[in-house]
Amino acid sequence: MSTIRGARERARIEVTAAIKDEARKQLAADGAAKLSLRAVARELGMVSSALYRYFPSRDELLTALIVDAYDAVGEAAETAHRASCDVPPVPAAHLARWIAVACAVREWALAHPHEYALIYGSPVPGYTAPQATVGPASRIGFVFIGIVEDAHRTDGLAVPPLAAELRPEAERMAADFAPDLPPAVVPALVAAWSQLIGLISFEIFGQFNRVVEAREAFFRQAVADLARNVGLLDDRADRTATRSAGA
Amino acid sequence: MSTIRGARERARIEVTAAIKDEARKQLAADGAAKLSLRAVARELGMVSSALYRYFPSRDELLTALIVDAYDAVGEAAETAHRASCDVPPVPAAHLARWIAVACAVREWALAHPHEYALIYGSPVPGYTAPQATVGPASRIGFVFIGIVEDAHRTDGLAVPPLAAELRPEAERMAADFAPDLPPAVVPALVAAWSQLIGLISFEIFGQFNRVVEAREAFFRQAVADLARNVGLLDDRADRTATRSAGA
DNA sequence: GTCTATAACGAGATAGAC
DNA sequence: GTCTATCTCGTTATAGAC
């Protein structure tokens, strides 16, 4: 009896995966706004009404794709983080971990540009993300929070100065997301996260065409600068600014 | 005869504007991917073939909307910049100008979220931006370059350190876009620009929901930190980081 | 119970004849 | 420029196969 249920469930899982795979293909071709249940069904040799056994509506299929994409970036980030903690002979410095995770996110985006656009590009008209997406969406954020918490515990942070008007908001954000961190670093961390996505979006969406050529080197430098903004300390020697001549 | 031609041209300009207005409405409702010449025509009480006398294709209409949007943000930025140069009794400090321009861009985006998504969101499937968009697209960038050049000339800059591997790219970028600036600040400037858009995109696209509440204060702080990354000097007293306790 | 197929709805886009 | 016949879409109701 359990085998029968197992077989059914296995079939169900396979069909569900096939539907999502085909839907992802169509995402790449036509964009999320034009995702069509009928077209997916047609391509799979099914009839459209059969899809409703697997996804109760087009929006639910979209939601599943979005959740998968968030989970995929999140996992790429977590994997890179784990790997960076295991480098012999000693764990990598916190800044190196930060850069490693950022590069992993960028590489996932380069490998999956359409799924990236689905989660970090323009919202799909008429679609509002349900509560189910917020957990997967925040996985990646917690990786960066973890790195900074680690740094705070061991080396300490260069806590960035905080405008007085932002103090209560910083306290609230810290209480919500990272109670172990000094409140001032939490807005800086959220800003750095959005700025990291800004860097990647410009590259993926073509805004760096004819502007930036050495994309990876450029990215690494920018991401290291972001880390400095959140207070990660840099043990390299050559990181002091030089003053350019004024008038 | 010139009056007749003038009247004709005036009519043509009016119809062109009406078409673009209606197209913008549809952008807001259905997204750029579904922009349809027929629907625009229907709404205007015209027949679809008549539209082709104004725009030779759907893509050309899209291009016109994109160029308009880039010009609108560009103009918002330029206006804010001019205003910030005229504050009595003395012109605002360079950091204040940087923040003023960034806020102007953000406010334009909040007022025109769909046009913002058109230029800084996911690319429209099947559409590739023609050369005609690159000029308008770079207007906003040159505003920020101008501010930093000004600062370089008068107060000097805290030139950020540059990784050796990025040196040749920085030289090339500086030669192309800002030959008067120290090469090291040019990649930092381009990065800051993409990061500014990252901040705004997260707000416009809803990624800050349930995360950031005091949006404007948060934005001002983040943008001031970005300015620091490109080397703008801060004359305020309280901008030195404090060291948090490590292990 | 679990699934697929047929048929239909109302709305919208599209192509072509006129 | 107009009208019409034919497509697509999301979605539901229903009937039958395993």
Side-chain angles (χ1 to χ4, degrees):
Chain A
M1 186 191 127
S2 91
T3 63
I4 290 179
R5 226 182 78 189
R8 271 209 201 131
E9 266 172 26
R10 209 163 45 240
R12 184 175 177 84
I13 287 170
E14 262 171 42
V15 176
T16 306
I19 292 171
K20 290 199 287 192
D21 279 350
E22 179 56 36
R24 271 185 280 264
K25 271 189 212 161
Q26 301 199 7
L27 264 199
D30 299 323
K34 291 198 192 161
L35 177 65
S36 139
L37 278 189
R38 290 187 107 111
V40 171
R42 198 180 320 126
E43 215 63 28
L44 291 175
M46 308 170 91
V47 88
S48 68
S49 59
L51 280 200
Y52 284 81
R53 290 278 149 186
Y54 300 88
F55 297 96
S57 73
R58 189 198 94 123
D59 279 11
E60 298 265 349
L61 173 55
L62 248 188
T63 299
L65 297 179
I66 290 172
V67 167
D68 281 3
Y70 275 129
D71 273 330
V73 235
E75 185 148 331
E78 288 164 11
T79 301
H81 182 233
R82 270 193 305 274
S84 72
C85 292
D86 288 344
V87 285
V90 292
H94 305 295
L95 177 65
R97 289 191 202 173
W98 174 281
I99 295 174
V101 171
C103 285
V105 174
R106 170 173 175 267
E107 265 147 36
W108 182 88
L110 286 169
H112 306 86
H114 303 102
E115 289 163 75
Y116 177 86
L118 180 64
I119 53 181
Y120 292 119
S122 335
V124 181
Y127 172 85
T128 45
Q131 199 67 26
T133 59
V134 325
S138 54
R139 271 176 75 172
I140 186 171
F142 283 112
V143 176
F144 286 106
I145 290 177
I147 293 174
V148 178
E149 281 177 342
D150 256 18
H152 175 56
R153 253 194 312 274
T154 57
D155 301 352
L157 299 170
V159 181
L162 184 70
E165 57 168 359
L166 198 56
R167 164 69 50 180
E169 174 77 337
E171 311 262 10
R172 186 195 59 76
M173 289 171 72
D176 282 0
F177 310 121
D180 294 340
L181 287 178
V185 316
V186 181
L189 194 43
V190 172
W193 167 50
S194 78
Q195 290 160 5
L196 168 73
I197 299 299
L199 278 165
I200 296 175
S201 292
F202 260 42
E203 180 171 355
I204 302 279
F205 296 163
Q207 221 95 20
F208 281 158
N209 290 348
R210 273 180 277 268
V211 178
V212 180
E213 304 283 354
R215 309 258 163 103
E216 176 164 355
F218 175 85
F219 180 79
R220 296 185 90 93
Q221 168 93 40
V223 152
D225 290 347
L226 285 184
R228 196 159 41 89
N229 279 4
V230 311
L232 280 195
L233 300 168
D234 192 343
D235 42 11
R236 286 175 292 178
D238 58 345
R239 301 295 298 172
T240 41
T242 58
R243 177 72 175 268
S244 86
Chain B
M1 185 189 132
S2 90
T3 62
I4 290 179
R5 226 183 75 188
R8 272 206 202 136
E9 268 174 26
R10 209 163 45 240
R12 183 175 178 82
I13 287 170
E14 264 172 39
V15 176
T16 305
I19 292 171
K20 291 200 287 193
D21 279 350
E22 178 55 36
R24 270 186 280 264
K25 271 189 212 162
Q26 302 201 7
L27 265 198
D30 300 324
K34 290 199 193 160
L35 178 65
S36 130
L37 279 188
R38 295 183 88 101
V40 172
R42 194 181 328 126
E43 216 64 28
L44 290 175
M46 308 171 87
V47 91
S48 63
S49 56
L51 278 200
Y52 285 86
R53 296 183 58 84
Y54 298 88
F55 295 96
S57 72
R58 188 199 91 126
D59 279 11
E60 299 265 349
L61 173 54
L62 247 188
T63 298
L65 297 179
I66 291 172
V67 167
D68 281 2
Y70 275 129
D71 273 329
V73 235
E75 185 148 330
E78 288 164 11
T79 302
H81 183 232
R82 270 193 306 273
S84 73
C85 292
D86 288 343
V87 287
V90 291
H94 305 295
L95 176 64
R97 291 191 201 172
W98 173 281
I99 294 174
V101 171
C103 285
V105 173
R106 169 173 176 269
E107 266 147 36
W108 181 88
L110 286 169
H112 306 88
H114 303 102
E115 289 163 75
Y116 177 86
L118 180 64
I119 53 181
Y120 292 119
S122 336
V124 182
Y127 172 85
T128 45
Q131 200 67 28
T133 59
V134 324
S138 53
R139 271 175 75 172
I140 185 171
F142 283 112
V143 176
F144 287 107
I145 290 177
I147 294 173
V148 178
E149 281 176 343
D150 256 18
H152 175 56
R153 252 194 313 273
T154 58
D155 300 350
L157 298 170
V159 181
L162 185 69
E165 55 167 1
L166 197 56
R167 165 69 50 179
E169 175 77 337
E171 311 263 11
R172 186 195 60 76
M173 290 172 72
D176 283 358
F177 310 121
D180 294 339
L181 287 178
V185 316
V186 181
L189 195 43
V190 172
W193 168 50
S194 79
Q195 289 160 4
L196 167 74
I197 300 299
L199 278 165
I200 296 174
S201 292
F202 260 42
E203 181 171 355
I204 302 279
F205 296 163
Q207 220 95 22
F208 281 157
N209 291 346
R210 272 178 279 268
V211 178
V212 180
E213 304 284 353
R215 307 258 164 105
E216 177 164 354
F218 174 84
F219 180 79
R220 296 184 91 92
Q221 168 93 40
V223 152
D225 290 346
L226 284 184
R228 196 160 41 89
N229 279 4
V230 310
L232 280 194
L233 300 168
D234 192 343
D235 43 10
R236 288 176 290 179
D238 57 345
R239 299 295 300 171
T240 41
T242 58
R243 178 71 176 268
S244 87

